[in-house]
Amino acid sequence: MLLEGFYGLMSWVRLGLLVFAVFCFVDAVLRREDAYRAADKNTKQFWLIILGLTAAANLLVPGFFLLVIAGLIANIVYMVDVRPALIRIGEGGRGGGFRRGSSSDGPYGPYNGGR
């Protein structure tokens, strides 16, 4: 009885890892290739291979725990490091994202010293 609950929980964890891996792979496919170079990350092909192998490992060999953990680490690195850099590069001059201004800029614009 207890083992059935554990196996049920593990099947949900495996499904979550698979969904996470597929999301990372699809996100990497949809990003521009030149954004990877501009963000000074590895190439798009590198990330597609790594994330694709991770999704395939989660789908085809979920029992090989070490490979699944290595893939999870690759997915986390992509989501925490690579994806935000690609988003910043992709926003470019559209006015969104991170704005680089003067150190005297306040929340409502530049501070002009009361002039």
Side-chain angles (χ1 to χ4, degrees):
M1 179 76 169
L2 185 61
L3 284 177
E4 290 176 17
F6 177 73
Y7 290 136
L9 175 68
M10 289 308 292
S11 66
W12 283 106
V13 169
R14 277 196 310 259
L15 179 64
L17 290 174
L18 175 64
V19 168
F20 185 49
V22 169
F23 173 78
C24 289
F25 180 74
V26 169
D27 186 72
V29 167
L30 296 177
R31 301 288 172 189
R32 294 186 345 235
E33 196 274 328
D34 60 336
Y36 288 86
R37 289 189 311 257
D40 198 28
K41 303 298 175 188
N42 280 321
T43 64
K44 182 175 183 175
Q45 292 79 18
F46 171 81
W47 284 107
L48 289 179
I49 290 169
I50 295 295
L51 298 174
L53 287 174
T54 299
N58 282 322
L59 185 62
L60 302 175
V61 261
F64 193 46
F65 188 67
L66 186 62
L67 188 60
V68 172
I69 293 297
L72 177 62
I73 292 170
N75 285 331
I76 291 172
V77 167
Y78 178 79
M79 288 297 288
V80 172
D81 184 38
V82 177
R83 186 172 186 257
L86 296 177
I87 289 172
R88 255 184 264 127
I89 296 296
E91 288 176 350
R94 284 189 263 163
F98 298 98
R99 184 175 60 95
R100 300 189 198 282
S102 171
S103 63
S104 64
D105 283 357
Y108 305 109
Y111 178 71
N112 61 8
R115 293 180 245 165

Coordinates of all heavy atoms in Angstrom, one line a residue, residues 13-14 19 39 45 56 58 89 91 103 109:
V13 N 6.3 13.1 -10.3 CA 7.6 13.8 -10.4 C 8.2 13.6 -11.8 O 8.7 14.5 -12.4 CB 8.5 13.3 -9.3 CG1 9.9 13.8 -9.5 CG2 8.0 13.7 -7.9
R14 N 8.2 12.4 -12.3 CA 8.7 12.1 -13.7 C 7.9 12.9 -14.7 O 8.5 13.5 -15.6 CB 8.6 10.6 -14.0 CG 9.7 9.8 -13.5 CD 9.9 8.5 -14.1 NE 8.6 7.7 -14.1 CZ 8.3 6.8 -13.3 NH1 9.1 6.4 -12.4 NH2 7.1 6.2 -13.4
V19 N 7.7 17.6 -18.5 CA 7.1 18.8 -18.9 C 8.1 20.0 -18.8 O 8.2 20.8 -19.7 CB 5.8 19.1 -18.1 CG1 5.3 20.5 -18.3 CG2 4.7 18.1 -18.4
A39 N 24.4 37.3 -26.2 CA 24.4 37.1 -24.8 C 25.6 36.4 -24.3 O 25.8 36.2 -23.1 CB 23.2 36.3 -24.4
Q45 N 22.7 25.6 -31.2 CA 22.8 24.1 -31.4 C 23.2 23.4 -30.2 O 22.7 22.3 -29.9 CB 23.8 23.9 -32.6 CG 23.3 24.3 -33.9 CD 23.5 25.8 -34.1 OE1 24.3 26.5 -33.4 NE2 22.8 26.4 -35.1
A56 N 14.5 13.7 -24.2 CA 14.5 12.3 -24.6 C 14.8 11.3 -23.5 O 14.2 10.3 -23.3 CB 15.5 12.1 -25.7
N58 N 14.2 11.9 -20.3 CA 13.1 11.8 -19.4 C 11.9 11.0 -20.0 O 11.2 10.4 -19.2 CB 12.6 13.2 -19.1 CG 13.4 13.9 -18.1 OD1 13.9 13.3 -17.1 ND2 13.7 15.2 -18.3
I89 N 18.4 40.3 -24.4 CA 18.9 40.6 -25.7 C 17.7 40.8 -26.7 O 17.7 41.7 -27.5 CB 19.8 39.5 -26.2 CG1 21.0 39.4 -25.4 CG2 20.2 39.7 -27.7 CD1 21.9 40.6 -25.4
E91 N 14.7 41.8 -26.1 CA 13.9 43.0 -25.9 C 14.5 44.3 -26.6 O 13.9 45.2 -27.0 CB 13.7 43.3 -24.4 CG 12.7 42.3 -23.8 CD 12.5 42.5 -22.4 OE1 13.3 43.2 -21.7 OE2 11.7 41.9 -21.8
S103 N 23.0 57.3 -12.8 CA 22.9 56.9 -11.3 C 22.1 57.9 -10.6 O 21.7 57.7 -9.5 CB 24.3 56.9 -10.7 OG 24.9 58.1 -10.8
G109 N 12.1 59.6 -13.4 CA 13.0 60.1 -14.4 C 14.2 60.7 -13.8 O 14.5 60.6 -12.7

